[in-house]
Amino acid sequence: MAQDSQTLHGDGISAVITVQGAELVSLQDTHGFEYLWQAGPEWRRHSPVLFPIVGRLKGDKLRHRGQAYPMTQHGFARDKLFTWAERGPRSCTLVLTDDADTRTHYPFAFRLAITYTLDRQQLGVALEVTNTGDELLPASVGAHPAFNWPLQPELSKEAYRLIFADDEQAPIRRLKDGLLLAETRSTPIEGRTLALSEQLFDDDAVILDRPASSSVRYAADHGPAIEMSWQGAEELGIWSKPGGAPFLCIEPWHGVASPADFDGEFTDKPGVMLIEPGAKRSLNYRISLEQVPR
């Protein structure tokens, strides 16, 4: 079992990462208080890595040079066994590379490395995509961490809000059947504050396709809180399961679901990174825990 997961310990924080999907499955403070959703029946994941797509492709098909390859929502990385590249008491790196199976879905050579690092009540996560082939690599990558909502069980969901670093005045995007709708909608964010409620997710995720902010704080008036910051992300998704579930996902992405009317070549899909042979691109995010003294 020791090979299946790694527990990291930092100053006032601990994290558990599994080799399956390189997934973060626990994030606790020094008192053992759990911030991360524990994969209950409403949604059986914790914090999946999204690669080589974010969201869905039309018909769940990736098209490249006239051929169609089956590709399920959010890609295959979250369901693959990674390998350990580095393992230490405060950090670890896991790697996924192309193989015969991945090429039946995604006909490209790649290296995906996920690094987790703990430091002073903070978890840093780096997702790095390298083009190891000799042709242009089209790819998207994203994070999907789910936090308990409410964080403090005795509080209501409506006690919580997201507070962005900057005013978020731009319209938002929505999905239908997992695909991006063409029309925009007025933002539910008032200035820098998004009031949270289950009804907010009746139409699936709230998508900021060009967020002004690079950080957001998830908090109530009192109790534990989280601040998330990111670099290299072009979009931000905010999601909970429609109909109500006790988790909230805050998702920095480089990429987004296919527009509902797009069924073309993957290299032409809006939001895809195009990585030259030998080059790499990265998305980084940081989760800072605000603990309650006990």
Side-chain angles (χ1 to χ4, degrees), residues 26-80:
S26 177
L27 187 64
Q28 297 185 5
D29 67 17
T30 190
H31 306 293
F33 183 87
E34 181 64 69
Y35 289 75
L36 202 68
W37 166 245
Q38 290 301 290
E42 297 89 346
W43 191 57
R44 292 294 191 183
R45 299 183 189 269
H46 306 261
S47 180
V49 172
L50 314 184
F51 177 86
I53 64 170
V54 171
R56 280 192 63 200
L57 302 178
K58 192 164 187 176
D60 295 323
K61 301 289 186 184
L62 184 150
R63 303 192 185 280
H64 180 61
R65 295 181 177 172
Q67 294 193 48
Y69 299 83
M71 179 69 72
T72 54
Q73 184 177 32
H74 292 323
F76 50 72
R78 60 184 184 170
D79 296 316
K80 298 288 284 184

Side-chain angles (χ1 to χ4, degrees), residues 58-103:
K58 192 164 187 176
D60 295 323
K61 301 289 186 184
L62 184 150
R63 303 192 185 280
H64 180 61
R65 295 181 177 172
Q67 294 193 48
Y69 299 83
M71 179 69 72
T72 54
Q73 184 177 32
H74 292 323
F76 50 72
R78 60 184 184 170
D79 296 316
K80 298 288 284 184
L81 280 175
F82 282 61
T83 58
W84 298 105
E86 295 182 17
R87 303 179 74 175
R90 299 175 76 102
S91 68
C92 65
T93 300
L94 302 96
V95 171
L96 180 69
T97 56
D98 60 286
D99 58 21
D101 177 65
T102 68
R103 286 189 288 271

Side-chain angles (χ1 to χ4, degrees), residues 260-291:
D261 60 354
F262 179 83
D263 198 23
E265 289 277 301
F266 187 57
T267 52
D268 297 328
K269 177 184 172 294
V272 167
M273 299 183 291
L274 299 175
I275 308 173
E276 297 286 344
K280 58 184 65 175
R281 297 283 292 275
S282 62
L283 184 156
N284 302 280
Y285 69 97
R286 184 171 294 273
I287 302 170
S288 302
L289 305 185
E290 299 180 22
Q291 304 180 19

Side-chain angles (χ1 to χ4, degrees), residues 141-157:
V141 67
H144 201 316
F147 303 105
N148 289 320
W149 180 34
L151 280 173
Q152 194 149 294
E154 58 267 30
L155 296 180
S156 70
K157 286 185 170 184

Side-chain angles (χ1 to χ4, degrees), residues 34-293:
E34 181 64 69
Y35 289 75
L36 202 68
W37 166 245
Q38 290 301 290
E42 297 89 346
W43 191 57
R44 292 294 191 183
R45 299 183 189 269
H46 306 261
S47 180
V49 172
L50 314 184
F51 177 86
I53 64 170
V54 171
R56 280 192 63 200
L57 302 178
K58 192 164 187 176
D60 295 323
K61 301 289 186 184
L62 184 150
R63 303 192 185 280
H64 180 61
R65 295 181 177 172
Q67 294 193 48
Y69 299 83
M71 179 69 72
T72 54
Q73 184 177 32
H74 292 323
F76 50 72
R78 60 184 184 170
D79 296 316
K80 298 288 284 184
L81 280 175
F82 282 61
T83 58
W84 298 105
E86 295 182 17
R87 303 179 74 175
R90 299 175 76 102
S91 68
C92 65
T93 300
L94 302 96
V95 171
L96 180 69
T97 56
D98 60 286
D99 58 21
D101 177 65
T102 68
R103 286 189 288 271
T104 66
H105 303 278
Y106 183 61
F108 302 98
F110 68 87
R111 181 182 188 269
L112 173 63
I114 316 295
T115 299
Y116 295 90
T117 305
L118 291 185
D119 181 31
R120 296 188 304 278
Q121 298 184 26
Q122 296 182 340
L123 171 66
V125 187
L127 298 84
E128 183 182 79
V129 183
T130 303
N131 183 350
T132 57
D134 55 9
E135 64 173 313
L136 200 64
L137 177 66
S140 289
V141 67
H144 201 316
F147 303 105
N148 289 320
W149 180 34
L151 280 173
Q152 194 149 294
E154 58 267 30
L155 296 180
S156 70
K157 286 185 170 184
E158 291 74 16
Y160 285 82
R161 58 194 171 270
L162 294 180
I163 305 168
F164 291 85
D166 298 294
D167 285 352
E168 296 290 348
Q169 301 176 354
I172 63 164
R173 305 294 294 274
R174 287 287 200 174
L175 304 169
K176 183 174 177 58
D177 300 324
L179 300 176
L180 193 67
L181 292 171
E183 64 271 17
T184 61
R185 300 200 189 172
S186 297
T187 181
I189 303 169
E190 297 184 359
R192 298 189 300 126
T193 302
L194 176 62
L196 294 174
S197 69
E198 290 184 348
Q199 292 71 37
L200 185 65
F201 305 105
D202 285 349
D203 294 327
D204 210 318
V206 174
I207 299 171
L208 284 67
D209 60 351
R210 287 296 179 268
S213 304
S214 57
S215 68
V216 67
R217 187 169 181 266
Y218 166 45
D221 286 336
H222 59 87
I226 289 168
E227 182 169 305
M228 265 192 79
S229 59
W230 54 87
Q231 294 178 311
E234 297 287 335
E235 297 88 9
L236 184 73
I238 304 162
W239 179 72
S240 188
K241 191 170 182 179
F247 64 82
L248 178 77
C249 296
I250 305 171
E251 310 175 39
W253 301 333
H254 196 304
V256 70
S258 287
D261 60 354
F262 179 83
D263 198 23
E265 289 277 301
F266 187 57
T267 52
D268 297 328
K269 177 184 172 294
V272 167
M273 299 183 291
L274 299 175
I275 308 173
E276 297 286 344
K280 58 184 65 175
R281 297 283 292 275
S282 62
L283 184 156
N284 302 280
Y285 69 97
R286 184 171 294 273
I287 302 170
S288 302
L289 305 185
E290 299 180 22
Q291 304 180 19
V292 175

